[in-house]
């Protein structure tokens, strides 16, 4: 493709597996677990990696290759691998690089299962971790150790929408020779490109905005070639491969990521602006609202504010439940990044395994409702949330 055509939308649509003898226009699904070798020499050269090519779908498949090649272009990454889910991407990116006695430094506000990995699973193999305080830059310098093998962060965080300064953390990590790994699931490469700001590796749960239609699980790790080489070795021999079907679906989903994100962001901003100051709410959190404590940082490192809005209800748990039970169209579910607007109550669902103290440290109060603003008409979304909020007794 000529360089002048290399815009995000064009790359997302025109990065395709070469056309087969059938002359198809849309890339077909390669449902095959293995591939044929021409002869003994061809098989030998493939296995010793002297030549690139298909061997077995746990290693690679034309559909997963297309998906990951495209995502690498969109994130500006040297290399990448596709995995079965976001969590298998998180686990692979960490397990591929740590040994017993090593340490991981992370931001405190993390996806619930990532928190379980750091606190309950990695310690079984002698890998410890610490959480730095997002609002205190000195805490990163205080907690980093000679054994720290990677820095793992999420920005914006789920569900508190707390931001971390990617440029500052990129400089901090590189000055100590430690790779910075960023879970970019909430922003997607359309809104934020951590590698360009100094990160070394980006993780995705493709289940969220990349699929965008609530259908398939998927994950990805993209970034510095040397880091990805270690992840590829780990994944090849432990087996968290993305299925060809999901890769086929997710690669086609990437074709519409830009237009979907534009509308998610426009709807979310309109909803956030509409509900700011509502009497049942003590706060509306959205990175592109001027009232967000890190509004300037959001404008500096994100193209738009994303599709998630956090509503803080004055009435706590009871008010939260009244809203969850009061919506008519909006779905009450645990996913996000879907065409359908979804509300979630993190304290009783996605973050219920955290203690009350851990939840409050990352800004998840009992009255916090996460709204994943969908692609329905914005007036219908606002009207439904409005009538549900009207059921909340004003305290
Ligand atoms: C959902 C999510 C994950 C996990 O992804 P799965 O595809 O569900 O395994 C990781 N990080 C963030 C920020 C998420 O929202």
């Amino acid at each position: 493709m000529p360089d002048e055509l290399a815009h995000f939308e064009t790359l997302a649509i025109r990065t395709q597996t070469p056309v087969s003898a059938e002359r198809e226009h849309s890339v077909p699904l390669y449902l095959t677990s293995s591939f044929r070798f021409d002869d003994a020499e061809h098989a030998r050269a493939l296995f010793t990696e002297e030549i690139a090519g298909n061997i077995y779908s746990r290693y690679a498949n034309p559909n997963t290759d297309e998906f990951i090649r495209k995502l690498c272009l969109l994130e500006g990454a040297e290399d990448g691998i596709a995995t079965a889910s976001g969590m298998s991407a998180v686990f692979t990116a960490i397990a591929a690089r740590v040994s017993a006695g090593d340490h991981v430094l992370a931001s405190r506000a993390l996806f619930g299962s990532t928190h379980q990995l750091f606190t309950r699973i990695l310690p079984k193999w002698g890998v410890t971790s610490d959480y730095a305080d997002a609002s205190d830059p000195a805490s990163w310098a205080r907690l980093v150790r000679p054994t720290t093998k990677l820095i793992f962060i999420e920005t914006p965080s789920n569900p508190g929408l707390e931001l971390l300064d990617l440029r500052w953390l990129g400089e901090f990590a590189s000055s100590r020779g430690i790779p910075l790994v960023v879970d970019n699931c909430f922003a997607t490469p359309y809104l934020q490109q951590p590698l360009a700001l100094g990160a070394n590796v980006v993780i995705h749960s493709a289940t969220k905005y990349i699929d965008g239609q609530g259908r398939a699980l998927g994950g990805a790790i993209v970034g510095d070639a040397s880091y990805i080489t270690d992840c590829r070795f780990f994944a090849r021999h432990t087996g968290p491969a993305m299925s060809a079907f999901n890769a086929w679906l997710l690669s086609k989903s990437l074709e519409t990521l830009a237009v979907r994100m534009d509308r998610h962001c426009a709807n979310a901003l309109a909803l956030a602006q509409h509900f700011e100051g509502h009497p049942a709410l003590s706060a509306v959190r959205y990175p592109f609202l001027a009232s967000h404590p890190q509004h300037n940082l959001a404008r500096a490192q994100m193209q738009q504010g994303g599709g998630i809005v956090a509503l803080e209800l004055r009435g706590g748990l009871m008010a939260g439940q009244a809203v969850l039970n009061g919506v008519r169209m909006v779905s009450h579910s645990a996913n996000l990044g879907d065409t359908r607007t979804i509300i979630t109550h993190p304290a009783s669902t996605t973050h219920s395994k955290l203690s009350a103290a851990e939840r409050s440290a990352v800004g998840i109060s009992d009255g916090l409702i996460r709204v994943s603003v969908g692609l329905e008409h914005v007036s219908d979304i606002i009207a439904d949330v409005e009538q549900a909020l009207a059921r909340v007794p004003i305290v």
Side-chain angles (χ1 to χ4, degrees), residues 14 16 19 23-27:
R14 291 290 175 180
Q16 279 189 271
V19 69
R23 310 293 304 152
E24 72 279 353
H25 187 216
S26 176
V27 173

Side-chain angles (χ1 to χ4, degrees), residues 34-351:
S34 68
F35 299 83
R36 287 167 179 244
F37 309 121
D38 293 343
D39 51 33
E41 171 51 23
H42 180 223
R44 189 203 59 79
L46 281 169
F47 269 90
T48 54
E49 296 180 47
E50 278 166 39
I51 58 169
N54 296 312
I55 299 175
Y56 187 61
S57 286
R58 170 152 48 81
Y59 302 174
N61 167 288
N63 295 120
T64 54
D65 281 353
E66 179 188 288
F67 167 73
I68 202 67
R69 205 155 45 86
K70 190 185 286 192
L71 191 62
C72 285
L73 288 169
L74 300 181
E75 287 281 7
E78 289 174 354
D79 198 4
I81 62 163
T83 62
S85 66
M87 281 321 300
S88 59
V90 171
F91 183 63
T92 299
I94 297 167
R97 297 285 287 209
V98 295
S99 309
D102 286 342
H103 175 253
V104 177
L105 183 55
S107 51
R108 186 177 295 281
L110 292 171
F111 183 68
S113 293
T114 306
H115 174 76
Q116 297 299 322
L117 186 60
F118 285 139
T119 55
R120 312 259 302 268
I121 298 173
L122 291 171
K124 293 200 297 181
W125 296 299
V127 175
T128 57
S129 56
D130 277 301
Y131 291 148
D133 199 336
S135 60
D136 175 14
S139 74
W140 296 90
R142 200 167 56 241
L143 292 168
V144 75
R145 299 184 195 172
T147 53
T148 305
K149 286 291 156 65
L150 61 111
I151 296 179
F152 188 99
I153 65 160
E154 276 178 38
T155 179
S157 69
N158 175 16
L161 301 173
E162 193 175 78
L163 269 62
L164 288 161
D165 189 331
L166 286 167
R167 210 176 273 286
W168 184 86
L169 271 167
E171 280 167 18
F172 172 82
S174 81
S175 73
R176 284 163 170 79
I178 304 170
L180 175 64
V181 181
V182 180
D183 183 335
N184 200 29
C185 165
F186 264 40
T188 81
Y190 186 61
L191 303 182
Q192 172 175 282
Q193 295 177 321
L195 299 174
L197 296 172
N200 304 92
V201 176
V202 162
I203 306 273
H204 277 287
S205 166
T207 316
K208 311 295 169 52
Y209 288 106
I210 290 179
D211 173 44
Q213 290 147 88
R215 305 167 300 186
L217 292 176
I221 312 168
V222 302
D224 292 356
S226 59
Y227 199 108
I228 300 302
T229 299
D230 290 348
C231 295
R232 180 174 288 117
F233 172 81
F234 183 90
R236 242 175 120 133
H237 303 296
T238 57
M242 175 180 278
S243 78
F245 179 78
N246 284 12
W248 176 81
L249 208 60
L250 293 166
S251 185
K252 291 184 192 307
S253 302
L254 281 174
E255 296 182 16
T256 57
L257 181 67
V259 287
R260 287 187 285 106
M261 290 314 291
D262 279 337
R263 185 62 68 84
H264 278 296
C265 293
N267 285 359
L269 179 63
L271 181 133
Q273 286 170 336
H274 179 87
F275 288 111
E276 204 169 30
H278 189 284
L281 302 172
S282 58
V284 173
R285 256 181 271 162
Y286 184 69
F288 267 42
L289 278 185
S291 58
H292 190 284
Q294 295 159 301
H295 179 64
N296 289 336
L297 177 60
R299 295 246 172 213
Q301 67 186 25
M302 297 175 72
Q303 302 298 316
Q304 301 181 64
I308 308 288
V309 179
L311 303 176
E312 186 80 51
L313 286 145
R314 285 186 197 284
L317 186 62
M318 299 283 279
Q321 287 177 331
V323 173
L324 292 165
N325 293 333
V327 287
R328 293 177 179 146
M329 170 192 78
V330 168
S331 317
H332 180 196
S333 178
N335 196 19
L336 64 91
D338 196 312
T339 52
R340 285 158 280 257
T341 299
I342 295 171
I343 57 169
T344 310
H345 181 235
S348 69
T349 58
T350 53
H351 290 70

